[in-house]
Amino acid sequence: MAWRGQQVTTRLDSDGTLTVELREQEWQQPTGAMVLVRMEAAPINPSDLGLLFASADTDNAEYSPGRIVARMPEAATRAMAARHGMAMPLGNEGAGTVVAAGDDPAAQALVGKRVACVPGTAYATYALCPAAMCMPVDDSVTAEQAASSFVNPMTALGFVETMRMEGFTGLIHAAAASNLGQMLLRICQKDGIPLVNVVRSSEQAALLTDMGASHVLDMKDPDFVTRLAGAIKQTGAMLGFDPIGGGKMASNMLTAMELAASEGQPFSRYGSSTAKKVYIYGALDLGPTILNRSFGLTWDVGGWLLTPFMAKAGPEVLMRMRGRVMQGLTTTFASHYKARVDLAQMLSKDAVAEYNARRTGEKYLVIP
Amino acid sequence: MAWRGQQVTTRLDSDGTLTVELREQEWQQPTGAMVLVRMEAAPINPSDLGLLFASADTDNAEYSPGRIVARMPEAATRAMAARHGMAMPLGNEGAGTVVAAGDDPAAQALVGKRVACVPGTAYATYALCPAAMCMPVDDSVTAEQAASSFVNPMTALGFVETMRMEGFTGLIHAAAASNLGQMLLRICQKDGIPLVNVVRSSEQAALLTDMGASHVLDMKDPDFVTRLAGAIKQTGAMLGFDPIGGGKMASNMLTAMELAASEGQPFSRYGSSTAKKVYIYGALDLGPTILNRSFGLTWDVGGWLLTPFMAKAGPEVLMRMRGRVMQGLTTTFASHYKARVDLAQMLSKDAVAEYNARRTGEKYLVIP
């Protein structure tokens, strides 16, 4: 038996042409521990956009029904030589109903069930997925509620685990009004972890304050760094997570940490000896990271990514994290979407202009 | 009994005035485990310049005999509030003869001996120093040969220890033609550690090649990053040490590491999973660090400083390192100087213009 439907693919050619298109696709009967999921909802996360468009010029692209042709900057085209010519399906996560399964009992057990899944090919009518990457949800949970059950929830919980593994006792989070930021706030509230939330508008600040956040700072405030230092002094938060990447956010966090750490201490030409660290886990700003290094010589900036974190954390920690997510899908780990689009609408100029801007609070959900 | 002489001090006032001056000073009979060293030679290291002038405008300063008055930029003045108003002596290390000692047998044992020492106040006729921070040298070793026995040698050995502690197997070093860089090259040659040397002129490249270096790259070469990637591919050097700090050196190292790590691998939107790290251990360029983040999400940039490294390494490792340095003072750990100045000449406009430019191969030695 075979299933027919459509799938979004992205292809970068060596001349810098990026083609994103909807293709007819056929799925075969899954084998072994694989299942076939009829996709019912899939979010567009920043991590998906990095593959879908990367830094291509979507403003000046050619849009036709089910097809986008855009130019990729030369440096980016060169840097992504390994994907030249390949039409890659995508969509990290989503939710749907299992319509077929391989012989493996774990796969068979999922047939007919609604599952949250991580197929990596979720922007499609159907997706093949290992049974181990599918979690069945209660009948009371909708596909929309289950769609974002992996990337954001595991990332938010991963921040907290990272904090504990590295001996820190509080967190700073930038772009804190995002779906991920709201999850992190609810986790920190439940676990009693001091959290300093950094946002970029008074509306976002109000949203988090209404949720009960104790420390909310606007990065556009002229006294931002000084106020951040004050919040760090109160919370001891010496570990930051920054999804912006470009610009001065990481540098400002380290500067504020150093101000808080050195207050009242005797002068040292090398700065304080307090450990200070910022993880960059996204690229909402694709520009370079600017570190002014006005924070002594005891500091660290690194990349943070879910996959290596999971490898480091190990299966026991991950099982505990997954269990917590599935229990709190409609509460702690609830997501909100600005708009819903089908696969064809996903490739329209208006939709792309909005969701590819990666603005906090403007997440799209794909309903294949 | 008391000893009279002169001492260089640096004072930053809250209005941004930096005063560096030669003062008359009196030293008393040392007590306990302290000794008094008549200083005979002391290098001017970049770490000393950070305290002596920091980012003050020495080009437009007022120079009078034994006195410099310069302006410190406002941001730097604010950042160094903890030192406002204090006339601080300085000079991390040097060599001289012990002329008096406290009652402690370890101190008494050094009387009359020539020692390499780390008093923190070496730019002076005399310096008080704990006996534990003095190492007696053979009669055949001159004060000049013993003057730089601590900062550079322990830093170079510290790089190698850090590499081993963190599981890396090769090193990249920027500004590699410096005294420190030459020491590191000789250490790596002896220990069989792959080392990629980055310099900024063909003269510096020739110097290291003549010393037998296998990989020497000129950062001004238009193909620098590609060539660096090639050298990394050959050596597996995924740990860099950068004393420049400002600009793109750390970013270029990480980009080249990523190119080497991802060559021949399937495309991943998140980059390779190979650990890649750069330590910034100086600020030859006081400008911001620019990271273009074209190197995936598995990377790390941090500050490296000798003192916390030593605390982490522990006494056993340090004893072994110190022993190796004292054995190789005139060979592996030999230093070269461009010029010798006395305390008064050290504060002359011509001398400051040259040694405060922090150019590789232009190190000054103070002969108090």
Side-chain angles (χ1 to χ4, degrees):
Chain A
M1 188 175 165
W3 289 260
R4 298 194 61 81
Q6 293 182 307
Q7 185 174 54
V8 173
T9 61
T10 177
R11 188 183 82 232
L12 176 64
D13 290 318
S14 56
D15 67 355
T17 307
L18 179 84
T19 308
V20 174
E21 61 186 340
L22 199 52
R23 294 179 163 203
E24 296 302 315
Q25 177 76 19
E26 196 176 283
W27 287 266
Q28 305 300 321
Q29 169 69 34
T31 57
M34 298 295 284
V35 301
L36 186 69
V37 184
R38 188 179 63 235
M39 297 306 304
E40 291 160 3
I44 305 178
N45 289 317
S47 52
D48 297 307
L49 293 171
L51 183 59
L52 185 60
F53 297 123
S55 53
D57 180 6
T58 50
D59 288 344
N60 298 300
E62 290 168 39
Y63 290 82
S64 51
R67 187 182 170 94
I68 305 170
V69 179
R71 298 291 312 160
M72 187 74 79
E74 211 181 303
T77 301
R78 252 183 291 121
M80 294 186 283
R83 62 172 282 196
H84 289 176
M86 288 189 286
M88 305 174 79
L90 74 164
N92 277 316
E93 66 180 341
T97 302
V98 174
V99 294
D103 294 336
D104 190 281
Q108 283 294 325
L110 295 173
V111 174
K113 296 248 168 74
R114 172 163 293 159
V115 295
C117 59
V118 193
T121 58
Y123 303 145
T125 319
Y126 295 95
L128 278 171
C129 189
M133 297 301 273
C134 297
M135 298 289 285
V137 298
D138 289 345
D139 289 344
S140 63
V141 176
T142 65
E144 180 166 332
Q145 287 172 325
S148 293
S149 75
F150 189 79
V151 178
N152 277 344
M154 293 297 271
T155 299
L157 287 173
F159 292 174
V160 171
E161 292 292 337
T162 299
M163 180 196 81
R164 291 187 179 126
M165 288 194 295
E166 300 191 11
F168 291 97
T169 55
L171 295 171
I172 309 172
H173 189 220
S178 65
N179 273 323
L180 171 59
Q182 294 178 39
M183 285 180 200
L184 184 63
L185 172 56
R186 289 187 291 254
I187 294 165
C188 288
Q189 285 172 330
K190 285 209 170 177
D191 294 6
I193 295 165
L195 173 68
V196 180
N197 300 276
V198 175
V199 297
R200 55 184 154 187
S201 73
S202 51
E203 292 75 23
Q204 293 176 348
L207 187 154
L208 295 182
T209 304
D210 287 349
M211 288 175 63
S214 311
H215 301 278
V216 184
L217 300 171
D218 189 335
M219 61 187 270
K220 291 189 170 157
D221 187 318
D223 292 330
F224 169 61
V225 175
T226 313
R227 295 170 69 125
L228 182 56
I232 294 167
K233 189 86 187 169
Q234 285 179 56
T235 56
M238 293 289 173
L239 178 62
F241 283 91
D242 170 30
I244 303 171
K248 297 187 176 171
M249 181 52 70
S251 191
N252 284 339
M253 285 186 185
L254 291 168
T255 302
M257 289 174 187
E258 178 64 12
L259 282 170
S262 60
E263 199 189 300
Q265 301 295 310
F267 175 72
S268 160
R269 75 192 88 173
Y270 305 118
S272 77
S273 59
T274 304
K276 294 170 284 287
K277 189 162 190 173
V278 176
Y279 278 115
I280 292 176
Y281 72 94
L284 297 179
D285 178 342
L286 294 167
T289 306
I290 314 286
L291 305 174
N292 67 17
R293 302 201 318 292
S294 63
F295 33 75
L297 273 167
T298 304
W299 58 273
D300 201 272
V301 176
W304 194 96
L305 184 60
L306 185 54
T307 322
F309 161 76
M310 293 196 304
K312 201 190 289 177
E316 204 170 315
V317 171
L318 293 183
M319 289 286 283
R320 172 164 52 74
M321 289 166 65
R322 276 313 264 159
R324 184 169 177 181
V325 174
M326 297 318 286
Q327 284 212 313
L329 262 191
T330 59
T331 52
T332 305
F333 301 102
S335 287
H336 306 281
Y337 304 97
K338 173 157 191 196
R340 283 145 193 82
V341 287
D342 64 23
L343 293 173
Q345 290 164 342
M346 182 186 170
L347 305 192
S348 71
K349 185 165 188 174
D350 290 351
V352 171
E354 202 164 61
Y355 69 72
N356 199 35
R358 304 164 197 223
R359 283 184 293 262
T360 300
E362 302 197 355
K363 179 160 291 194
Y364 269 52
L365 186 69
V366 181
I367 311 289
Chain B
M1 189 176 164
W3 289 259
R4 299 196 58 85
Q6 291 182 309
Q7 185 175 54
V8 173
T9 61
T10 177
R11 189 184 79 230
L12 175 64
D13 290 318
S14 55
D15 67 354
T17 307
L18 179 85
T19 308
V20 173
E21 61 186 340
L22 199 53
R23 294 180 162 202
E24 297 301 315
Q25 177 75 20
E26 196 175 285
W27 287 266
Q28 305 299 319
Q29 169 69 35
T31 58
M34 297 296 284
V35 300
L36 186 70
V37 183
R38 187 180 62 234
M39 296 307 302
E40 291 159 3
I44 304 178
N45 288 317
S47 52
D48 297 308
L49 292 171
L51 183 60
L52 185 59
F53 297 122
S55 53
D57 180 6
T58 50
D59 289 344
N60 299 299
E62 290 169 38
Y63 291 83
S64 52
R67 188 181 170 98
I68 304 170
V69 179
R71 297 293 310 163
M72 187 75 80
E74 211 180 303
T77 301
R78 252 184 291 120
M80 294 186 282
R83 62 171 282 195
H84 288 176
M86 288 189 288
M88 305 175 78
L90 75 164
N92 276 316
E93 66 181 340
T97 302
V98 174
V99 295
D103 294 336
D104 189 281
Q108 282 294 323
L110 295 173
V111 174
K113 296 247 167 74
R114 171 162 294 160
V115 294
C117 59
V118 193
T121 58
Y123 302 146
T125 319
Y126 295 95
L128 278 171
C129 189
M133 296 300 274
C134 297
M135 298 288 284
V137 297
D138 289 345
D139 288 345
S140 63
V141 176
T142 65
E144 180 166 331
Q145 287 172 324
S148 293
S149 75
F150 188 80
V151 177
N152 278 343
M154 293 297 273
T155 299
L157 287 173
F159 292 174
V160 171
E161 292 292 336
T162 299
M163 180 196 81
R164 292 187 177 126
M165 288 194 294
E166 300 192 11
F168 292 96
T169 56
L171 294 171
I172 308 172
H173 189 220
S178 65
N179 273 321
L180 171 59
Q182 295 179 38
M183 285 181 201
L184 183 63
L185 172 57
R186 288 186 292 253
I187 294 166
C188 288
Q189 286 172 328
K190 287 208 169 180
D191 293 6
I193 295 165
L195 173 68
V196 180
N197 300 277
V198 176
V199 298
R200 57 182 153 188
S201 73
S202 51
E203 293 75 23
Q204 292 175 349
L207 187 153
L208 295 183
T209 304
D210 288 349
M211 287 175 65
S214 312
H215 301 277
V216 185
L217 300 170
D218 189 334
M219 60 187 271
K220 291 189 170 156
D221 188 318
D223 292 329
F224 168 60
V225 175
T226 312
R227 296 170 68 122
L228 182 55
I232 294 168
K233 190 85 186 167
Q234 285 179 56
T235 56
M238 294 287 173
L239 179 62
F241 283 91
D242 170 28
I244 304 170
K248 297 186 176 171
M249 181 51 69
S251 191
N252 284 339
M253 285 185 184
L254 291 167
T255 300
M257 289 175 188
E258 178 64 12
L259 282 170
S262 60
E263 200 188 301
Q265 301 294 311
F267 175 71
S268 161
R269 75 193 87 175
Y270 305 118
S272 77
S273 59
T274 305
K276 295 170 283 289
K277 189 162 190 173
V278 176
Y279 278 116
I280 292 176
Y281 73 92
L284 296 178
D285 177 341
L286 294 166
T289 306
I290 314 288
L291 305 174
N292 66 16
R293 300 198 322 289
S294 62
F295 34 75
L297 273 167
T298 304
W299 59 273
D300 200 275
V301 177
W304 194 96
L305 185 60
L306 185 54
T307 323
F309 160 76
M310 293 196 302
K312 200 190 291 178
E316 205 171 314
V317 172
L318 294 183
M319 288 287 283
R320 171 164 54 74
M321 290 166 65
R322 277 311 266 159
R324 184 169 178 181
V325 174
M326 297 318 287
Q327 284 210 315
L329 262 191
T330 59
T331 54
T332 305
F333 302 101
S335 288
H336 306 281
Y337 304 96
K338 170 153 193 201
R340 285 145 192 83
V341 287
D342 64 22
L343 293 173
Q345 289 163 342
M346 180 186 172
L347 304 192
S348 71
K349 184 165 188 174
D350 290 350
V352 170
E354 204 163 61
Y355 68 71
N356 199 35
R358 304 165 197 221
R359 284 183 292 260
T360 300
E362 303 198 352
K363 181 160 288 193
Y364 270 54
L365 187 69
V366 181
I367 311 288

